[in-house]
Amino acid sequence: MEASEAAAPAAAGAEAEGGSGTKGSWYAVGERAVLVPYLREHVPRYHEWMQDPALLEATASEPLSLAQEFDVRRSWTLDPLKHTFIVLDQELIEGEFVSGNPHTEAMVGDVNIYMNDPDDLQLAEIEIMIAEQKSRGKGIGQEAILMMMTFAVQKYGIHTFRAKISESNTASLKLFRKLGLKDASYSKVFKEVTLEASADTLPLRFPLTIGEW
């Protein structure tokens, strides 16, 4: 979760590293953010982010070694029931955005969906993290969420979105509620709020500018 702040159902098959037309080889361009595939070049910076205790708590994550982080990236990109984008801050891109360039200088977070409900693969859990302080409060997180949701509807046929957020992460709770997700349940064990919304009730941004990586 952020620390401050019609297609076929879930695609089958694995990502070909560097290939095109698979789940990991798309990018999307918005007004403030660009979403790009999670590439090997992004892992060292991502690993640095995940040494921050505040981010670990906000994302309910455990610290990993750099080698483990590379393994996780590969597993995410190969899993047909997950889709991860690295979020770029348009203002930080050096020169023009170029498809195929990881633009590590502009990476500020990530956004993910998980189709992990075996009874409904068109229901996606969504997560957002804006790790760079300098890129918070600029609307990048909100735009990245809406871009990912629009992408998920277009490419995966997702009809319902779910977010699970720690009750202490008030900024993310406020953001997702602002976007139209409603409280669905609360876990006393995990101190976590689950929010849900149908895709057709959300302010999605069609048409989304999507290209092949």
Side-chain angles (χ1 to χ4, degrees):
M1 281 300 131
E2 185 171 343
S4 74
E5 320 245 321
E15 175 200 19
E17 295 274 346
S20 63
T22 59
K23 80 180 184 75
S25 54
W26 301 94
Y27 68 88
V29 180
E31 295 177 5
R32 301 178 181 86
V34 179
L35 307 184
V36 299
Y38 184 18
L39 305 173
R40 290 182 58 83
E41 293 89 339
H42 296 130
V43 175
R45 183 62 181 144
Y46 192 93
H47 178 64
E48 289 180 22
W49 291 341
M50 300 314 291
Q51 304 310 299
D52 181 344
L55 287 179
L56 290 173
E57 180 180 359
T59 58
S61 301
E62 296 293 332
L64 302 176
S65 68
L66 181 58
Q68 288 173 320
E69 210 75 77
F70 274 104
D71 288 342
V72 168
R73 185 213 73 91
R74 180 169 174 78
S75 72
W76 285 358
T77 56
L78 292 175
D79 191 332
L81 301 182
K82 293 184 175 67
H83 199 110
T84 297
F85 281 118
I86 291 295
V87 180
L88 306 182
D89 182 338
Q90 291 241 37
E91 293 182 350
L92 300 179
I93 293 174
E94 296 177 356
E96 298 289 325
F97 169 71
V98 178
S99 175
N101 183 335
H103 289 290
T104 55
E105 78 282 358
M107 61 183 290
V108 298
D110 70 332
V111 61
N112 313 285
I113 54 169
Y114 308 90
M115 287 74 79
N116 51 16
D117 185 335
D119 297 322
D120 187 355
L121 293 179
Q122 290 177 294
L123 184 156
E125 183 176 337
I126 186 165
E127 296 180 343
I128 178 75
M129 176 181 74
I130 301 301
E132 295 288 344
Q133 291 277 359
K134 63 181 176 290
S135 294
R136 295 178 186 164
K138 297 167 61 175
I140 291 173
Q142 176 173 318
E143 183 176 62
I145 292 169
L146 292 174
M147 289 170 68
M148 173 58 104
M149 287 176 165
T150 305
F151 175 87
V153 170
Q154 291 185 206
K155 296 297 181 183
Y156 291 97
I158 299 302
H159 60 63
T160 303
F161 290 97
R162 174 182 293 161
K164 295 183 178 181
I165 306 172
S166 169
E167 66 177 359
S168 64
N169 194 344
T170 55
S172 283
L173 286 169
K174 181 179 179 180
L175 175 58
F176 278 93
R177 287 166 176 157
K178 177 182 175 182
L179 291 175
L181 280 78
K182 307 296 184 184
D183 292 32
S185 63
Y186 173 74
S187 170
K188 291 183 179 179
V189 175
F190 297 106
K191 298 186 182 337
E192 185 178 74
V193 181
T194 297
L195 305 97
E196 290 187 0
S198 298
D200 59 9
T201 68
L202 297 169
L204 303 187
R205 301 191 172 186
F206 296 104
L208 179 66
T209 302
I210 299 174
E212 289 190 11
W213 189 254

